[in-house]
Amino acid sequence: MSMFEGLKFRKISSPIHSLDPRVKFFYVIAMFAAAVMYMEIIPLIALFLIQIPLIIAAKVTRQWIKSMRGATYLAAIIFFTNLLFSYFYPTGESFSYIVEHATAMTLRFVVLVESFSVFFLTTSPDHLGLALENSHVPYEFCFAFTTAVRFVPVLAEEAQTIMDAQKARGLELEKGNFLKRVKNYIPILIPLIVNAIRRSLELAEAMESRAWGATKNRTNLYELKLHRGDYVLTALTVLLIVLAVYVRLYIPIPAVSEILG
Amino acid sequence: MEKQIFKTDRKMPIIEADNLTYTYPGAEKPSIREVSLKIEKGEFVLLTGPSGCGKTTLCRCFNGLIPHFYEGKLRGEIRVAGMNVAEHAIYELAKHVGLVFQNPENQLFALSVEKDVAFGLENLGVPREEIRKRVDWALKVTDIYELRERPPYELSGGQQQRVAIAAVLAMQPEVIVLDEPTSFLDPLGAKKIFEDIYRLNRKLGITIVLVEHRLDLTAKYANRIIIMDEGKIVLDGEPRKILVSEEVHLMGIGIPKVIRLYQFLKQRGKDLGEPPLSSEEIAKKLRERLGR
Amino acid sequence: MIEAYDLHFVYPNGVEALKGVSLKIRNGEFVAIMGQNGAGKTTLVKHFNGLLKPTQGKVLIDGVDTREVSVAKLARKVGFVFQNPDHQLFCETVEEEISFALKNFGFKENVIKRRVTWALNLLGLTRYRKTSPFMLSGGERKRVALASVLAWNPKILILDEPTIGQDYAQKEKLRQFILQMKAQKKTGIIVTHDVEFVAECNPRVVLMSNGKIVADGEARKILTSPEILEKASIIPPEVSRIFLELSNIGFPTNVIDIYEAGEIILDFWEGKRREHV
Ligand SMILES: Nc1ncnc2c1ncn2[C@@H]1O[C@H](COP(=O)(O)OP(=O)(O)OP(=O)(O)O)[C@@H](O)[C@H]1O
Ligand SMILES: Nc1ncnc2c1ncn2[C@@H]1O[C@H](COP(=O)(O)OP(=O)(O)OP(=O)(O)O)[C@@H](O)[C@H]1O
Ligand SMILES: [Mg+2]
Ligand SMILES: [Mg+2]
């Protein structure tokens, strides 16, 4: 799952990392909207290219390339299903048009993955949780979010330990036919579930002991303030949308095949 | 406000249990029985006893987890900082009693240390500037100020446990209850935690209740030891008296080696005077006796 | 016999937990592995039953490279009791829990029955035979986990942090059990922070720090060297600390046993008295 691997946040500091998550989210939505507006290759390529400076500024080029590489598999599937679709349901278009259409659909997907990876590669989970809290999302939900982020690796490690403990008692997971193999997982699943429950009880106990639910008007140690960079990105994003709408409405976009031919 | 009033009233015990009996929901017999005790402000109490004797259960009564979180059947009365536990919510009690648990992993939930330490104060709706002040103070007292921006789960066990202590400290409670806080730590890490706790007790006057099996490591810090067995308090008093008593030897408690050595010598007619609680103490006595 | 040669291990996340460990544990030896949190103790012992395979170097169990045999096969010989019993208990009764491994190893029905009874008896769990392991106390669950490994009578037994959260009586039982193992010439390895417990058992001590072995020798030698111990975040046991303090008045510094300590002090005391007479 290297596409998700690429989406994993790493703590570094850059101008992009310190942007307000809400602004970055607005940017992702805008990219999404702009990409959906177009079926032509040229503007989609433009959308793809204009994000690259952000990635370089955020110093996450390597991880970004990794996530894009992870996405190629899905991109290929999108490309070929589009081709096949036109093949099975012919609309009388020329072959070059069909290819161009499939390419455009694929590019759309690529642009989406690109903007999402900009978001996830540069937004720390606690920053995101904080943004949620500041956006009037109920606190319980925000807490659930950060706790999940916090405990997923812990549970993964626990699953590994449990597997080791059972292997040490002679359990062989890969032995037997299909049914037997499914059954092999019972000695792993039961401790995993029991421990998850026990853990969540302990967690609840610790939360209660620290005044959980004392008041509806919870305060927050951190305050999200918009800085200059946030205004700049917001302005750029708005500009992008205006431009995209304008081009869509008033400027005819040639297909690549027309330019070439 | 109420804290201020409380602080002037020195004679009132901070924890006062009267004939407390508690049964977990669905359990056949009570886990603590007829427990009566008074803990005064500023005491350092060591709570010990065989596994399953009800130490953790008693700690849960101190901040209202019992009966509010665990339900079950509570008889008798317990008052903490003048409040009847049964009548006050856990979050009210949390301002007066902080609980630190055995496993650091399951009591830290935020993604940065300072956010974790701020958790309780945020819940109480304390204004931001005040939170900042108290969080920084708690981090400095526990000596983890440099770690404030790190994610807690990346820290060592000892550092994590220190974060957990800072987190209750930030709420400025009068009592901190620690349930086997160092059992996952290496000896040096454990020693540092115990010394920190001792400092909180000496310097800030915070009342400490420490649950611990290993009396070797902790007896010297306490001015009182309470020993439980099968849900009851069976011994309660000064460490030097308790640890040399007949009864304690019959109970299967781990008597510190210094005490055992002291008694070995005493039985052979070599009296060292007052029972020692640490290796330094007994060494000093022996040097006075045997040194040239 | 366990042999490790220049063992290195790197976790997938890039943490280098072992940085060149070489170690030989002969049959019938009793070894305590100690060292600070994160020193790599658990990582090291997980190599002894093949749960982890060396990134570099090799581990031989009775001459066989762990990379060449399955964990299940090695486990027959090397029993491993994990730190937290809740990571392995899953059956409805204690009896089933103990027979789980025996079934995996293909023992016959009547042998299983005999072994289960033997293990229950050994650890004082007979009255819980039909009880659910989840109903037991922490200390008891730990004993069930131990019984479930002992049942197949492995030649080598590894215990990771067996004394955590245990009271004195339970620790004493564990110590008795370990002595019994020693008498039967079985190899025992415990990973622990509990200096007092180690001082009472008096095993060979292997001290680790930062993925390396920093000291290896008799308990009475290692546990009485504060400089070496400090590197591994360990404090000498109580008795040793007393004697270290008294070294300037001529006390020996290599004492960890309380009875020996008592006799020595008595000798000094009486010797002094004789001087006075
Ligand atoms: N949540 C619970 N529900 C039901 N029974 C419980 C619960 N927690 C503890 N008990 C029971 O209450 C008794 C006292 O347990 P407690 O955890 O207070 O002991 P402890 O003295 O803290 O022991 P240890 O030293 O092992 O931590 C035990 O018999 C235990 O089985
Ligand atoms: N599953 C894992 N994935 C990644 N890193 C790990 C894993 N398990 C352990 N580590 C790391 O490897 C190092 C050695 O860990 P190990 O568990 O062997 O230490 P230990 O000596 O047993 O410590 P403790 O006394 O705390 O049990 C530590 O830095 C730890 O963070
Ligand atoms: Mg307990
Ligand atoms: Mg370990």
Side-chain angles (χ1 to χ4, degrees):
Chain A
M1 284 281 99
S2 55
M3 187 166 100
F4 295 118
E5 184 61 27
L7 294 181
K8 229 162 71 188
F9 172 78
R10 278 175 200 80
K11 207 164 192 159
I12 37 178
S13 64
S14 82
I16 310 297
H17 280 76
S18 51
L19 289 171
D20 189 309
R22 292 169 296 183
V23 173
K24 279 188 268 189
F25 194 67
F26 175 53
Y27 154 84
V28 171
I29 301 287
M31 272 295 163
F32 191 91
V36 171
M37 268 185 244
Y38 293 96
M39 284 290 256
E40 295 85 356
I41 293 185
I42 293 171
L44 285 169
I45 290 183
L47 285 176
F48 179 77
L49 292 178
I50 56 170
Q51 300 195 62
I52 290 184
L54 280 183
I55 291 160
I56 294 172
K59 300 186 243 173
V60 291
T61 325
R62 276 216 354 246
Q63 293 96 303
W64 174 69
I65 290 174
K66 228 178 179 180
S67 72
M68 293 316 278
R69 211 184 292 146
T72 47
Y73 182 62
L74 263 177
I77 292 180
I78 291 174
F79 183 75
F80 286 110
T81 33
N82 269 291
L83 273 191
L84 283 179
F85 198 74
S86 323
Y87 179 77
F88 285 119
Y89 302 92
T91 46
E93 304 286 352
S94 70
F95 181 67
S96 65
Y97 175 83
I98 291 172
V99 172
E100 206 163 328
H101 177 76
T103 312
M105 294 303 271
T106 313
L107 269 175
R108 243 189 212 176
F109 168 73
V110 169
V111 169
L112 286 184
V113 172
E114 187 186 24
S115 51
F116 266 111
S117 61
V118 169
F119 183 79
F120 283 108
L121 286 175
T122 64
T123 308
S124 75
D126 45 341
H127 219 166
L128 187 58
L130 188 61
L132 289 176
E133 280 175 53
N134 275 277
S135 319
H136 302 283
V137 174
Y139 179 68
E140 286 76 9
F141 178 81
C142 309
F143 184 80
F145 172 78
T146 45
T147 315
V149 171
R150 153 88 175 78
F151 280 98
V152 162
V154 175
L155 287 182
E157 200 176 301
E158 182 152 57
Q160 184 64 48
T161 309
I162 291 170
M163 227 180 288
D164 283 352
Q166 303 300 34
K167 274 196 216 156
R169 295 203 295 166
L171 176 68
E172 286 174 282
L173 288 172
E174 296 86 18
K175 219 165 97 177
N177 58 21
F178 178 73
L179 212 72
K180 177 80 176 48
R181 282 189 197 200
V182 172
K183 260 177 77 183
N184 284 346
Y185 274 88
I186 291 176
I188 292 172
L189 283 179
I190 292 178
L192 196 60
I193 293 166
V194 169
N195 279 297
I197 293 171
R198 187 167 291 158
R199 192 187 288 279
S200 53
L201 276 177
E202 272 183 36
L203 215 58
E205 214 177 345
M207 283 160 60
E208 292 274 350
S209 303
R210 276 155 70 188
W212 170 264
T215 159
K216 277 266 161 281
N217 304 320
R218 216 175 166 275
T219 44
N220 204 316
L221 173 66
Y222 299 131
E223 186 181 27
L224 275 186
K225 278 209 194 96
L226 295 181
H227 296 284
R228 208 179 58 199
D230 297 311
Y231 293 116
V232 173
L233 183 63
T234 314
L236 285 176
T237 311
V238 171
L239 194 71
L240 177 90
I241 298 225
V242 172
L243 200 68
V245 173
Y246 178 80
V247 170
R248 175 77 290 169
L249 293 179
Y250 298 110
I251 302 193
I253 303 163
V256 176
S257 50
E258 285 169 32
I259 298 173
L260 295 178
Chain B
M1 267 316 273
E2 49 195 359
K3 235 181 220 176
Q4 219 54 47
I5 297 166
F6 178 74
K7 268 178 187 150
T8 54
D9 193 358
R10 288 199 135 262
K11 259 181 258 146
M12 192 163 62
I14 186 94
I15 294 175
E16 191 174 13
D18 190 21
N19 221 0
L20 207 60
T21 299
Y22 173 74
T23 315
Y24 281 102
E28 284 164 21
K29 43 183 205 226
S31 291
I32 52 174
R33 315 155 192 244
E34 294 146 29
V35 167
S36 297
L37 90 161
K38 277 198 184 93
I39 296 177
E40 308 276 341
K41 216 172 154 45
E43 280 194 287
F44 190 127
V45 179
L46 193 54
L47 179 58
T48 192
S51 179
C53 69
K55 305 180 291 295
T56 301
T57 308
L58 184 58
C59 292
R60 286 175 179 149
C61 298
F62 292 157
N63 78 337
L65 283 171
I66 289 174
H68 303 297
F69 183 79
Y70 279 95
E71 300 173 342
K73 208 165 75 206
L74 183 70
R75 271 186 287 128
E77 196 184 273
I78 174 162
R79 304 177 75 80
V80 172
M83 298 187 287
N84 187 333
V85 167
E87 289 162 8
H88 291 261
I90 301 175
Y91 57 78
E92 284 178 73
L93 295 161
K95 286 184 254 182
H96 303 275
V97 189
L99 233 62
V100 176
F101 302 88
Q102 180 176 27
N103 191 347
E105 200 170 68
N106 293 341
Q107 52 185 319
L108 304 176
F109 6 75
L111 299 162
S112 77
V113 165
E114 58 180 9
K115 186 84 175 142
D116 223 311
V117 174
F119 183 79
L121 299 173
E122 292 179 342
N123 284 332
L124 291 169
V126 174
R128 175 173 301 123
E129 300 72 46
E130 177 69 15
I131 297 187
R132 171 51 68 189
K133 240 173 43 203
R134 291 217 227 159
V135 166
D136 285 354
W137 170 78
L139 289 171
K140 280 177 188 154
V141 169
T142 46
D143 209 11
I144 47 172
Y145 188 69
E146 291 70 36
L147 304 176
R148 65 192 178 282
E149 283 173 7
R150 299 264 301 275
Y153 50 89
E154 278 182 8
L155 304 179
S156 76
Q159 290 169 330
Q160 286 185 3
Q161 212 49 296
R162 212 161 275 151
V163 176
I165 294 173
V168 298
L169 197 59
M171 313 218 316
Q172 301 185 337
E174 289 105 312
V175 189
I176 297 184
V177 180
L178 306 104
D179 192 355
E180 301 190 47
T182 67
S183 41
F184 295 134
L185 308 187
D186 57 48
L188 207 58
K191 184 171 177 225
K192 283 189 191 142
I193 294 284
F194 290 138
E195 279 170 358
D196 275 4
I197 297 168
Y198 185 59
R199 217 155 28 89
L200 296 180
N201 176 255
R202 293 282 91 188
K203 295 238 171 86
L204 304 175
I206 296 174
T207 311
I208 301 287
V209 178
L210 174 65
V211 177
E212 183 58 62
H213 286 297
R214 297 166 300 177
L215 302 182
D216 309 81
L217 303 173
T218 47
K220 62 173 172 239
Y221 303 118
N223 57 10
R224 179 168 168 194
I225 293 186
I226 296 179
I227 299 178
M228 292 181 71
D229 194 15
E230 295 186 355
K232 288 191 173 155
I233 291 183
V234 288
L235 286 169
D236 180 352
E238 271 178 55
R240 287 180 217 274
K241 291 209 181 91
I242 295 284
L243 291 177
V244 295
S245 66
E246 284 291 318
E247 301 95 310
V248 80
H249 285 258
L250 301 173
M251 289 204 36
I253 300 287
I255 310 289
K257 299 261 166 58
V258 279
I259 295 281
R260 281 169 59 187
L261 214 46
Y262 165 84
Q263 288 184 311
F264 173 89
L265 294 172
K266 195 167 181 176
Q267 278 158 14
R268 283 157 188 79
K270 315 286 185 261
D271 195 350
L272 283 173
E274 182 151 88
L277 288 180
S278 67
S279 53
E280 294 85 22
E281 251 180 78
I282 194 170
K284 186 159 168 275
K285 284 173 189 290
L286 284 171
R287 196 176 305 118
E288 280 162 12
R289 252 346 114 101
L290 309 177
R292 269 156 268 260
Chain C
M1 181 148 95
I2 301 173
E3 295 161 275
Y5 294 102
D6 189 34
L7 178 56
H8 289 254
F9 184 78
V10 183
Y11 278 104
N13 64 358
V15 174
E16 193 182 4
L18 296 177
K19 304 173 184 164
V21 170
S22 297
L23 178 71
K24 214 176 260 182
I25 298 174
R26 271 175 291 278
N27 290 341
E29 261 193 296
F30 175 42
V31 181
I33 300 180
M34 307 184 76
Q36 74 221 83
N37 289 122
K41 306 179 294 294
T42 303
T43 309
L44 175 63
V45 290
K46 276 189 177 175
H47 278 85
F48 296 162
N49 69 344
L51 282 171
L52 296 175
K53 312 281 180 186
T55 312
Q56 192 191 315
K58 63 180 171 181
V59 177
L60 307 179
I61 306 296
D62 287 344
V64 181
D65 194 316
T66 57
R67 273 173 299 202
E68 271 142 36
V69 276
S70 69
V71 177
K73 194 138 185 215
L74 270 175
R76 254 321 250 110
K77 201 175 268 176
V78 188
F80 193 127
V81 184
F82 278 64
Q83 177 176 336
N84 184 350
D86 298 331
H87 283 153
Q88 63 166 70
L89 302 181
F90 74 100
C91 293
E92 278 170 38
T93 65
V94 169
E95 182 174 33
E96 284 173 52
E97 197 66 59
I98 297 176
S99 47
F100 173 69
L102 298 172
K103 282 184 193 144
N104 287 333
F105 291 134
F107 282 85
K108 285 205 197 70
E109 204 51 54
N110 59 339
V111 180
I112 293 183
K113 212 162 198 163
R114 213 177 55 227
R115 287 295 181 88
V116 170
T117 308
W118 173 79
L120 284 170
N121 196 17
L122 185 69
L123 290 163
L125 292 165
T126 306
R127 67 191 163 121
Y128 295 126
R129 190 177 199 128
K130 298 284 180 199
T131 315
S132 158
F134 298 108
M135 298 292 289
L136 301 176
S137 80
E140 287 162 346
R141 287 207 298 276
K142 220 152 170 145
R143 292 217 295 280
V144 175
L146 180 57
S148 80
V149 173
L150 282 178
W152 76 82
N153 204 10
K155 220 175 105 187
I156 301 170
L157 185 67
I158 301 173
L159 307 172
D160 197 354
E161 306 280 8
T163 62
I164 280 188
Q166 305 287 305
D167 61 31
Y168 182 73
Q170 287 165 346
K171 277 199 221 176
E172 193 49 36
K173 272 185 214 149
L174 184 69
R175 197 169 70 88
Q176 294 302 338
F177 170 74
I178 286 172
L179 292 179
Q180 222 172 308
M181 263 183 60
K182 224 168 157 179
Q184 290 167 1
K185 294 269 175 272
K186 290 224 171 131
T187 311
I189 299 173
I190 60 172
V191 173
T192 184
H193 291 305
D194 197 332
V195 257
E196 298 299 336
F197 184 73
V198 174
E200 284 164 27
C201 296
N202 199 20
R204 165 179 166 198
V205 174
V206 172
L207 216 54
M208 291 186 70
S209 170
N210 271 325
K212 288 195 180 127
I213 292 179
V214 290
D216 183 350
E218 275 182 85
R220 63 184 287 141
K221 197 171 121 230
I222 306 280
L223 293 184
T224 53
S225 321
E227 317 81 48
I228 299 178
L229 289 177
E230 177 131 12
K231 274 193 266 176
S233 261
I234 291 173
I235 300 166
E238 201 98 320
V239 170
S240 156
R241 292 217 302 278
I242 300 170
F243 276 61
L244 285 166
E245 292 244 353
L246 295 176
S247 62
N248 57 353
I249 58 166
F251 272 59
T253 53
N254 63 343
V255 183
I256 52 173
D257 182 76
I258 183 157
Y259 301 104
E260 187 184 347
E263 296 301 337
I264 292 176
I265 295 174
L266 224 51
D267 281 352
F268 260 82
W269 203 308
E270 263 143 27
K272 190 174 176 215
R273 191 174 286 173
R274 233 173 285 130
E275 271 173 28
H276 277 279
V277 169

